[in-house]
Amino acid sequence: MKRGLIAATGVAAMLVSVAACGSGSSDKDSGADGSQAKSLTVWFMDGSNPTGWTKAVQAEFEQKTGAKLNIQIQKWDGIQQKLTTALSESSPPDVVEVGNTQTPSYAQTGGLAELDDLKKEIGGDWTDSLNKPSVFEGKQYAAPWYAADRVVIYNKKIWADAGIKDTPKTRDEFFKDLDAIQKKGDAEPLYLPGQNWYFFDGLTIGTGADLVKKDGKKYVSNLADPKVAKAMDVYKQYQAFSKAPKDKDEATPQQADVFAKGRTGAFIGMGWEAQTAIKANPAIEKEIGYFTIPGESAGKPEGVFLGGSNLAIAEGSKKKDLAKEFLKIALSDKNEAALAKEVGSIPNKDALLTGLKGNAAAEAAAPAAKGGGTTPLIPEWAEVENAPNPIKAYMTAVLNGKSPEDAAKQVEADINKRLAQKQ
């Protein structure tokens, strides 16, 4: 299921995977005081727990509780079924990492423990946009761990050659800069294929659009909403500066590989994609810069899709109190700040964003996080994004000349059919 994969791997690609940082898996391991102490099993996704952070959290947990931390690394491929099965068993992992947009699905099945008390104790100042995916039907079922969003990655030389002296603060300024590059005629101003769906989702967040609506007791498509059309119009204005195909996404080909050739002014992507470009062409590293995707007015960034992960406790865990102690440690200000500094992820509190200083890509991503959001936080949404994603077809249709209304009608039956599938 690709929704969770894309939601969380944007950050995961930046992180250093730890194959086996845990110690001991037996409930009979000795505690720090020599007594018989329990162990706590935690499932992290491949690439999510960097070395420094993991060692520090493990040491703090084991010293404070006397319990052993048994860390098990899971692969994203096939994780939905594996975790769903594990959560239904009598001895599930105690703590699990879940992609932020996956949380409602696991909460709906009863697999996750309620964490309202933990939220009151340590989450009073969690950033609302990061915490929202942890809440299902008004109850807290997880805790926000980290997030990431898209930024503009640009070629400083191409911008300078076009006479551009500063990065744009508004969308109109951005368009003017792209127009200047286009008039210079030496480079493609922007590489933006027609189906960069997560950038488009961010634009819908910026216009306040809802992609689904309630019809009685079921959800149906809201793609015909004028607010969605407004977001698509903005996307169309951006795409007019690009020669990229209108019927492909940012992975076909990889947009970072296109940018690496040095003939593209900018692209919109995850900060870690710059490293992909550098790997393809090391000489381009000195020309790479980053800035926040500007919104309609200065001081208010564009809406962005927030990909990331939450930490949750299995409802079937027999060690919920111990699991909560782990979450208190892992999500403490000290350890959230350390994670942000080590890998450039966005921490779960606005007050901790200062820890990103010195990481240019993360500094560019941070301002948009507060106003960011996700795809619809309903279990039914997963089917909509399964390939072929009908919203991508909608985007291509509009870019090829259909009105947003007609393009929406073209795919609404498919979307509604997917939303109606039993979870």
Side-chain angles (χ1 to χ4, degrees):
M1 192 266 289
K2 293 187 177 179
R3 176 178 59 141
L5 176 68
I6 298 173
T9 55
V11 174
M14 300 188 298
L15 308 186
V16 180
S17 176
V18 181
C21 286
S23 60
S25 59
S26 171
D27 285 354
K28 297 181 179 180
D29 288 330
S30 294
D33 59 357
S35 62
Q36 295 297 308
K38 292 182 177 181
S39 68
L40 190 78
T41 298
V42 178
W43 278 17
F44 284 129
M45 300 310 301
D46 187 20
S48 288
N49 57 317
T51 305
W53 181 88
T54 302
K55 288 182 177 179
V57 168
Q58 180 170 354
E60 185 176 349
F61 172 80
E62 293 185 351
Q63 182 178 20
K64 181 178 180 179
T65 67
K68 294 294 183 180
L69 194 62
N70 174 28
I71 294 176
Q72 298 179 8
I73 306 301
Q74 308 299 320
K75 298 291 185 182
W76 282 105
D77 188 27
I79 187 58
Q80 184 188 27
Q81 185 58 51
K82 183 175 183 179
L83 184 52
T84 298
T85 299
L87 291 174
S88 69
E89 294 175 342
S90 59
S91 298
D94 302 294
V95 176
V96 294
E97 174 190 349
V98 292
N100 58 354
T101 59
Q102 291 177 324
T103 305
S105 296
Y106 297 120
Q108 184 191 49
T109 65
L112 304 182
E114 291 183 26
L115 298 178
D116 289 334
D117 57 341
L118 185 75
K119 169 67 164 60
K120 291 177 182 178
E121 185 174 353
I122 68 169
D125 53 350
W126 285 340
T127 304
D128 287 343
S129 58
L130 270 69
N131 185 56
K132 189 175 180 180
S134 295
V135 178
F136 179 66
E137 295 184 341
K139 295 182 179 180
Q140 193 85 26
Y141 284 100
W145 185 23
Y146 66 76
D149 59 67
R150 283 160 177 76
V151 299
V152 181
I153 302 170
Y154 74 106
N155 186 309
K156 295 177 182 178
K157 184 178 186 305
I158 289 175
W159 282 55
D161 288 348
I164 305 168
K165 301 184 183 299
D166 199 4
T167 54
K169 301 300 183 290
T170 67
R171 187 190 300 147
D172 283 344
E173 289 179 7
F174 193 8
F175 287 154
K176 288 178 181 178
D177 290 342
L178 294 174
D179 187 56
I181 295 171
Q182 191 169 57
K183 288 178 178 176
K184 185 76 167 59
D186 298 329
E188 179 180 19
L190 178 72
Y191 184 82
L192 180 65
Q195 297 183 348
N196 191 328
W197 145 240
Y198 281 101
F199 173 49
F200 173 61
D201 182 60
L203 295 177
T204 67
I205 291 165
T207 62
D210 292 316
L211 295 174
V212 297
K213 61 184 178 181
K214 265 294 188 65
D215 180 15
K217 294 184 178 181
K218 63 181 180 180
Y219 285 98
V220 297
S221 171
N222 195 39
L223 211 57
D225 186 340
K227 291 180 181 179
V228 177
K230 182 180 178 180
M232 191 60 219
D233 180 64
V234 174
Y235 191 99
K236 189 173 183 178
Q237 292 179 66
Y238 274 115
Q239 215 277 328
F241 289 102
S242 180
K243 299 176 183 177
K246 294 179 173 61
D247 61 349
K248 303 294 182 183
D249 63 22
E250 67 276 20
T252 316
Q254 288 291 339
Q255 59 183 6
D257 289 336
V258 176
F259 181 79
K261 297 175 182 178
R263 298 191 295 274
T264 301
F267 73 100
I268 295 168
M270 306 300 291
W272 57 264
E273 290 183 78
Q275 297 304 314
T276 302
I278 293 167
K279 184 177 180 180
N281 177 17
I284 204 171
E285 182 172 10
K286 66 181 183 298
E287 306 297 349
I288 292 179
Y290 311 84
F291 60 85
T292 307
I293 305 172
E296 194 169 0
S297 58
K300 187 177 181 181
E302 185 57 81
V304 292
F305 171 78
L306 290 172
S309 280
N310 298 328
L311 295 178
I313 296 174
E315 173 60 27
S317 171
K318 298 177 178 62
K319 308 167 190 174
K320 289 190 179 71
D321 288 342
L322 190 60
K324 288 177 183 178
E325 286 302 314
F326 172 78
L327 292 187
K328 291 176 187 177
I329 291 169
L331 301 171
S332 68
D333 287 0
K334 178 183 71 174
N335 289 319
E336 276 286 301
L339 181 68
K341 184 175 182 179
E342 186 170 358
V343 301
S345 58
I346 294 171
N348 60 17
K349 295 181 180 181
D350 291 344
L352 302 177
L353 292 175
T354 54
L356 299 175
K357 189 174 182 180
N359 184 322
E363 285 187 273
K370 190 173 184 178
T374 65
T375 52
L377 293 169
I378 57 174
E380 296 90 343
W381 182 257
E383 293 295 335
V384 177
E385 287 191 48
N386 284 342
N389 183 339
I391 299 182
K392 289 185 175 182
Y394 159 85
M395 295 169 69
T396 295
V398 173
L399 294 174
N400 282 332
K402 274 187 178 290
S403 70
E405 295 78 11
D406 287 344
K409 290 177 182 177
Q410 180 179 305
V411 301
E412 278 184 335
D414 186 15
I415 293 175
N416 291 341
K417 181 180 178 181
R418 293 172 184 231
L419 288 170
Q421 291 186 29
K422 292 184 178 181
Q423 304 303 304

